[in-house]
Amino acid sequence: MRIITFLSFYLIVFAGFAQQDSLIEVNIKDSVLTTEFEEKKGRLIVPAKSYISLDVCCVEQYNQKLQENSFSTRNPKEEILKVTCKENTQAISVADGKVALVLKTEGAYTVVLKHGKYGAVYSNLESVSVEEGKDLKENQVIGIVKTKSLKTVLNYELYFKANKMKVANWIKLD
């Protein structure tokens, strides 16, 4: 149920961005952020400072791990980047942007950043150091990744308007 709620919430947030862009002209700052973000395709930094490993899994695999079928109507090529980290790792912004949303549910924070027409979702944060509406620079700390059951994993998703993107095409995976 929680997964369905989060999915619905994200879609509403990003659909709102898309609808907003069609109703009012995108301001110059958003246009610049969009262009700068697009120029970094394939070269975005990993969204955590002290990471151990990166696992790009598609939503279909993610569903199997959660034993949920709530995403079954979504494109199986949509991806989530699971960043396994050391304890107390800082989650960082992959590019300049603005904090669109900070949400706490069931003991963990989720932060949504807007990079022009692109959006990034950082989930499973223990604490946050950002506020809604504030501008961020690339590499700026967003918060601390939460440790659950001896695992410290940041979940990262990327959107263009309301459409989920393939993370592997954007992040520099060394």
Side-chain angles (χ1 to χ4, degrees):
M1 183 65 171
R2 182 177 71 151
I3 301 303
I4 294 170
T5 304
F6 274 132
L7 176 61
S8 300
F9 180 74
Y10 294 146
L11 289 177
I12 289 167
V13 168
F14 287 108
F17 290 156
Q19 185 178 26
Q20 179 184 25
D21 289 346
S22 65
L23 295 176
I24 40 183
E25 190 173 319
V26 177
N27 66 36
I28 293 172
K29 187 174 181 180
D30 278 352
S31 295
V32 169
L33 287 173
T34 298
T35 301
E36 288 175 353
F37 195 81
E38 288 171 342
E39 288 173 353
K40 293 180 181 189
K41 186 174 183 178
R43 298 181 293 115
L44 289 174
I45 61 174
V46 174
K49 286 200 174 186
S50 302
Y51 68 94
I52 297 167
S53 66
L54 303 173
D55 179 26
V56 178
C57 64
C58 74
V59 170
E60 187 174 276
Q61 293 167 334
Y62 189 60
N63 285 342
Q64 290 168 359
K65 290 178 185 176
L66 294 174
Q67 296 177 344
E68 287 269 344
N69 235 356
S70 58
F71 291 101
S72 61
T73 59
R74 301 190 49 84
N75 182 344
K77 294 184 180 181
E78 295 172 346
E79 296 177 342
I80 296 169
L81 179 65
K82 299 180 90 40
V83 184
T84 302
C85 310
K86 297 177 184 176
E87 258 188 86
N88 298 313
T89 293
Q90 296 175 325
I92 56 175
S93 176
V94 299
D96 292 356
K98 184 176 214 140
V99 180
L101 181 70
V102 176
L103 174 70
K104 184 174 184 180
T105 57
E106 297 186 28
Y109 286 93
T110 297
V111 174
V112 179
L113 301 184
K114 189 175 176 205
H115 307 285
K117 291 185 181 182
Y118 290 88
V121 178
Y122 296 73
S123 58
N124 194 39
L125 299 172
E126 178 72 33
S127 62
V128 295
S129 54
V130 296
E131 296 176 22
E132 289 180 20
K134 299 291 183 177
D135 291 333
L136 289 178
K137 292 290 183 191
E138 179 179 331
N139 216 5
Q140 187 171 336
V141 175
I142 296 167
I144 304 296
V145 181
K146 184 174 180 128
T147 300
K148 287 192 246 181
S149 305
L150 302 176
K151 292 182 183 178
T152 307
V153 179
L154 172 69
N155 296 315
Y156 177 81
E157 301 170 61
L158 184 61
Y159 291 81
F160 177 72
K161 296 184 180 179
N163 301 311
K164 200 166 199 180
M165 307 294 291
K166 288 188 71 164
V167 178
N169 292 340
W170 291 83
I171 300 287
K172 184 177 181 181
L173 302 172
D174 294 326

